[in-house]
Amino acid sequence: MSRAITPRVAVVTGTSSGIGAAVVAHFCQQGHQVLAVDFNPDGREVAEAAGAVFYQADLTDADACRSAVAEAVSRFGGVDILVNNAGIQHVASIEDFPEAKWRQIIDLMLTAPFLLTQAAWPSMREKGWGRIVNIASVHAQVASPGKAAYISAKHGLIGLTKTAALEGGAQGITANALCPAYVKTPLVDNQIADQAKLHGMEEQEVIEQIMLKNAAVKRLIDPAEVAELVAYLTSDAAGAVTGSSWNIDLGWTAQ
Ligand code: NAD
């Protein structure tokens, strides 16, 4: 039996490509009004093709985070759904990790989700309904060498998710994290090259021996598969699901 989907207002970050673009497309198909937020101007074409409104913002900037939510509120009258997805990666050992990269990653992938959550909160509280989905990673559950900042930000994002769930419980606001293994996106394509350099391997060896080493299902994930789970977690049906981390990790953490 299919249920009718209530149209909502959604803010999605990191929407020029990959998982964010897939989430925007899925939300627009569901009839949601979507503000697609990205610093890459190419995101405009992607967003508008899906039927979303594009908002250009560098989310490492605190004021830009607040402005993005303010834009959704003034344009659509509020925010019901927030998907914190924007992310970058930098691969280097701790010894060689540039401090500026560490700060950029923490700003974008931990501080921005906090600021966006904070900015969207009053609107969700007033409506008595809200859905926050934080795109974390299998690297919010386990570590791998060479990714200190990313792994630290993603582990922190689980803490933010749990706290938002506890504070939102009485207000109709849920917060959940999603923990994918390797998804076929530009972020992973770049990592294949970086990891090959770091480990002195061929790129195909990186995919088979590093990325899929712990996977029971030996393939990369499609962004649309992640969008399906985001759609469930932001639905009316998921009102009892909060504070949880959803692994979509090919069986990686089953061992
Ligand atoms: P992607 O590179 O395709 O998308 C990332 C998006 O973030 C891009 O649109 C980029 O322009 C945007 N972005 C980067 N810096 C920004 C900034 N300062 N301000 C605003 N936007 C910015 O990557 P993806 O794989 O789709 O990653 C999306 C999220 O999923 C990330 O948080 C990533 O950590 C997470 N994730 C990805 C994988 C994977 O295997 N691809 C696995 C687990 C988790």
Side-chain angles (χ1 to χ4, degrees):
M1 191 181 78
S2 65
R3 287 172 198 244
I5 293 161
T6 312
R8 303 285 184 185
V9 175
V11 173
V12 184
T13 71
T15 54
S16 295
S17 59
I19 295 168
V23 170
V24 168
H26 199 106
F27 277 176
C28 288
Q29 279 164 17
Q30 289 186 304
H32 294 335
Q33 292 177 293
V34 182
L35 191 75
V37 185
D38 205 295
F39 78 153
N40 181 350
D42 295 347
R44 180 176 302 279
E45 201 179 326
V46 176
E48 290 178 355
V53 173
F54 181 66
Y55 187 80
Q56 190 176 0
D58 179 348
L59 297 170
T60 60
D61 176 60
D63 288 338
C65 292
R66 290 186 273 264
S67 300
V69 171
E71 173 71 15
V73 171
S74 73
R75 190 180 272 271
F76 300 127
V79 177
D80 305 307
I81 295 170
L82 170 64
V83 180
N84 285 307
N85 169 74
I88 52 172
Q89 178 61 279
H90 185 82
V91 179
S93 64
I94 289 174
E95 200 177 358
D96 296 329
F97 212 94
E99 182 186 334
K101 260 304 164 200
W102 168 276
R103 291 189 187 280
Q104 183 189 7
I105 287 175
I106 300 296
D107 282 351
L108 178 63
M109 291 160 61
L110 186 55
T111 306
F114 163 72
L115 292 168
L116 288 157
T117 299
Q118 187 177 54
W121 199 273
S123 176
M124 294 181 181
R125 175 172 39 71
E126 279 162 25
K127 294 184 182 201
W129 197 97
R131 297 279 185 269
I132 299 162
V133 174
N134 292 322
I135 306 299
S137 167
V138 67
H139 280 125
Q141 311 282 356
V142 296
S144 298
K147 301 181 179 179
Y150 184 96
I151 287 164
S152 302
K154 295 298 192 187
H155 276 68
L157 194 55
I158 300 292
L160 175 65
T161 305
K162 290 179 179 174
T163 309
L166 295 182
E167 295 188 13
Q171 302 171 357
I173 302 170
T174 68
N176 292 284
L178 220 148
C179 300
Y182 289 98
V183 185
K184 185 80 182 93
T185 70
L187 183 136
V188 160
D189 290 339
N190 293 337
Q191 272 184 72
I192 294 169
D194 288 349
Q195 292 262 16
K197 210 164 121 192
L198 182 72
H199 299 288
M201 297 168 108
E202 296 296 321
E203 293 194 359
Q204 193 54 33
E205 288 177 314
V206 170
I207 296 172
E208 288 167 9
Q209 295 176 27
I210 297 179
M211 294 190 165
L212 298 179
K213 177 169 167 263
N214 298 311
V217 178
K218 298 283 184 193
R219 66 168 174 82
L220 299 178
I221 300 162
D222 189 279
E225 295 177 283
V226 182
E228 289 280 353
L229 193 42
V230 173
Y232 168 65
L233 291 170
T234 54
S235 69
D236 285 318
V241 181
T242 196
S244 64
S245 299
W246 289 64
N247 297 341
I248 176 164
D249 69 0
L250 309 166
W252 181 329
T253 53
Q255 55 202 303

